[in-house]
Amino acid sequence: MRVAIIGAGVAGLSTAVGLQRAGAHVTVLERSGQLRPGGSGLSIFGNGRAALDALGLTREFDALTSETAGLLLGGMRKPNGAWIKVFPAETVRDVRMIHREELHNLLSSQLEPGVVRLGTTISELTVTGDLRGRTAHGAAFHETFDLIVGADGLRSTLRTLWPKDPGIRYAGYGAWRGVTSHPVDLHGEAGETWGRHQRFGIVPLPDGRVYWFAVDSRPAEATGPGVPETHGAQREVLERFGSWHAPIPELVDATSSAAIQWLPIHELRAPLPSVRYGRAVLVGDAAHAMTPNLGQGGNQALEDSATLAVLLRTLARQDSPRSLDIDAALAEYDRLRRPRTRRIARRSRLIGDAANLQGRGTSMVRDLALQLTPTSALRRQFSIIHDWAPPP
Ligand SMILES: Cc1cc2nc3c(=O)[nH]c(=O)nc-3n(C[C@H](O)[C@H](O)[C@H](O)COP(=O)(O)OP(=O)(O)OC[C@H]3O[C@@H](n4cnc5c(N)ncnc54)[C@H](O)[C@@H]3O)c2cc1C
């Protein structure tokens, strides 16, 4: 089976690993001239790890990560440091942090030489599996595949060719993301701190450095490139979060402006009516871009890849699989993946909306509601997301 995968992010690379292992002839077409993700951390929960296990990568993944993040006290704090809610230990115990670049390196190291074609931009797709675009040298690209996997992210070109693409929407907030340049002692505590229309998250990396994010609500028009100025990022974050509890100011101080990136947060405006279209299927952010409040975008991309690899395992090694069989596998993929990702995206949006409340009164009510949430309910909510297994 000949498969084209558009995009070499977490979704594209993990799909390539899964389908290559199943015996497919895989080509990854990546617009960028190099394989380099943004430079921050990614939390991988039990569900993402189960997907990596299905892709045969647990041993390598575990070697690159540690259980540190799950062993710290986690939950929500107020800007003065008082805990609003401590999460039950077992709900976060299986989380592992990885630097994005390391995950990319791990995935791409599993691919046979020549599988990834850099500098290739795809612009057109037909229902019969024809792909058109431009290569790195500007030449026209036109090839036909048995299956096309759109893994081209939030602003997916493939999805714009879909019937009823809902497009994306700005979530109402953006985030600075940084990684400290040296290890910082967290004194056994991590998690998030919720203020009014602002939020700060602390996540330890395996080498002792700390990945942090600082979320700020802003009107849509204040989110264009260059706003806020990158060179003043450290000062901007300190202006807003410098009076928050320790070690927040220390973490920002330990991160150079050049290592801090501002990113407006977007998500799919509405769920797609189908993630398949003719011989093409979407995975990762292209299929279900969601806000990062549950740290699930990448985990869901891994679930997509593992599911696709299982469903296509008997067809992958065939030279000319029957269209009917491919259609049946894609229909099953759509049935399994769409409701789950829609539910998680919705939950993530609700958390973001609550976390970024503007008013003093409403944020006090929010904190109280969180305090009163029974631990059993929290446990159930986490379990729905983190306890996942690929189809048999
Ligand atoms: C602030 C923040 C924090 C997050 N934290 C977490 C977390 O802790 N845990 C987690 O699981 N998720 C997290 N996420 C979500 C996660 O980052 C994304 O869900 C994930 O990176 C999506 O991967 P992807 O491969 O689908 O898309 P991308 O990483 O966007 O990759 C798409 C690729 O396609 C290429 N491409 C685009 N168009 C074309 C084209 N026409 N032709 C060829 N190539 C093309 C691009 O160059 C790119 O390489 C976070 C997101 C944000 C914004």
Side-chain angles (χ1 to χ4, degrees):
M1 177 181 211
R2 292 187 74 232
V3 184
I5 298 170
I6 319 305
V10 175
L13 291 174
S14 55
T15 302
V17 172
L19 293 181
Q20 180 187 272
R21 288 197 172 188
H25 185 278
V26 175
T27 304
V28 179
L29 304 164
E30 165 57 45
R31 178 175 60 189
S32 169
Q34 48 186 330
L35 267 186
R36 227 188 49 182
S40 58
L42 207 59
S43 339
I44 300 297
F45 293 90
N47 56 318
R49 194 156 170 277
L52 284 163
D53 190 33
L55 295 170
L57 294 174
T58 328
R59 201 166 42 84
E60 291 85 345
F61 174 73
D62 285 356
L64 290 172
T65 58
S66 77
E67 291 169 332
T68 325
L71 298 175
L72 303 187
L73 193 63
M76 311 299 186
R77 281 185 268 190
K78 294 183 185 185
N80 66 8
W83 285 94
I84 306 170
K85 189 82 183 174
V86 174
F87 288 155
E90 67 275 20
T91 58
V92 283
R93 191 170 290 142
D94 57 5
V95 65
R96 283 173 176 257
M97 288 305 299
I98 188 162
H99 210 281
R100 280 170 193 261
E101 202 159 325
E102 288 188 339
L103 183 57
H104 272 231
N105 289 344
L106 166 61
L107 293 169
S108 54
S109 70
Q110 308 297 311
L111 298 174
E112 285 159 15
V115 161
V116 183
R117 291 194 223 164
L118 296 172
T120 310
T121 304
I122 293 306
S123 54
E124 228 181 284
L125 154 83
T126 70
V127 277
T128 48
D130 282 314
L131 266 186
R132 289 177 195 276
R134 297 248 154 234
T135 69
H137 310 293
F141 171 91
H142 179 197
E143 275 185 49
T144 307
F145 296 88
D146 297 308
L147 173 68
I148 293 160
V149 181
D152 49 348
L154 172 75
R155 295 185 168 78
S156 165
T157 303
L158 250 69
R159 199 184 57 235
T160 63
L161 308 170
W162 236 243
K164 302 200 181 131
D165 169 25
I168 58 172
R169 72 163 198 119
Y170 172 58
Y173 45 89
W176 285 279
R177 295 178 294 164
V179 176
T180 61
S181 51
H182 53 79
V184 177
D185 189 353
L186 294 176
H187 301 289
E189 296 177 335
E192 291 196 12
T193 303
W194 287 13
R196 282 168 54 199
H197 66 81
Q198 283 173 337
R199 186 163 32 126
F200 198 95
I202 299 175
V203 193
L205 290 173
D207 60 5
R209 289 182 304 153
V210 179
Y211 160 54
W212 56 264
F213 53 89
V215 182
D216 193 30
S217 300
R218 287 159 184 257
E221 60 267 26
T223 62
V227 181
E229 291 290 332
T230 309
H231 64 262
Q234 190 196 50
R235 184 179 42 78
E236 287 234 29
V237 181
L238 281 172
E239 267 170 23
R240 288 167 178 78
F241 297 90
S243 63
W244 287 30
H245 67 78
I248 291 175
E250 188 188 347
L251 293 174
V252 183
D253 264 335
T255 314
S256 69
S257 275
I260 302 176
Q261 296 168 342
W262 166 260
L263 189 73
I265 304 296
H266 291 86
E267 63 174 342
L268 218 58
R269 186 177 295 280
L272 278 165
S274 172
V275 290
R276 56 185 281 250
Y277 171 53
R279 284 297 180 89
V281 67
L282 297 176
V283 293
D285 278 9
H288 42 65
M290 57 184 74
T291 56
N293 304 305
L294 286 168
Q296 276 293 319
N299 285 274
Q300 291 306 309
L302 293 170
E303 284 189 19
D304 291 345
S305 312
T307 304
L308 208 52
V310 170
L311 296 175
L312 290 170
R313 73 188 145 201
T314 49
L315 303 179
R317 56 187 78 249
Q318 297 175 13
D319 281 340
S320 308
R322 294 187 320 158
S323 300
L324 264 175
D325 295 335
I326 299 177
D327 281 353
L330 297 188
E332 181 63 358
Y333 172 82
D334 186 66
R335 189 186 71 79
L336 290 173
R337 297 304 301 149
R338 218 154 32 84
R340 176 165 164 81
T341 52
R342 185 180 57 214
R343 209 172 305 130
I344 293 173
R346 185 167 163 272
R347 198 164 291 177
S348 184
R349 180 181 323 121
L350 291 175
I351 291 175
D353 291 348
N356 284 19
L357 282 174
Q358 310 270 348
R360 188 185 172 79
T362 42
S363 48
M364 279 169 67
V365 173
R366 171 203 66 195
D367 292 356
L368 189 65
L370 193 58
Q371 256 162 11
L372 296 174
T373 305
T375 301
S376 56
L378 272 181
R379 205 176 277 129
R380 204 166 43 247
Q381 297 295 327
F382 281 120
S383 153
I384 289 170
I385 299 172
H386 299 161
D387 298 339
W388 175 86

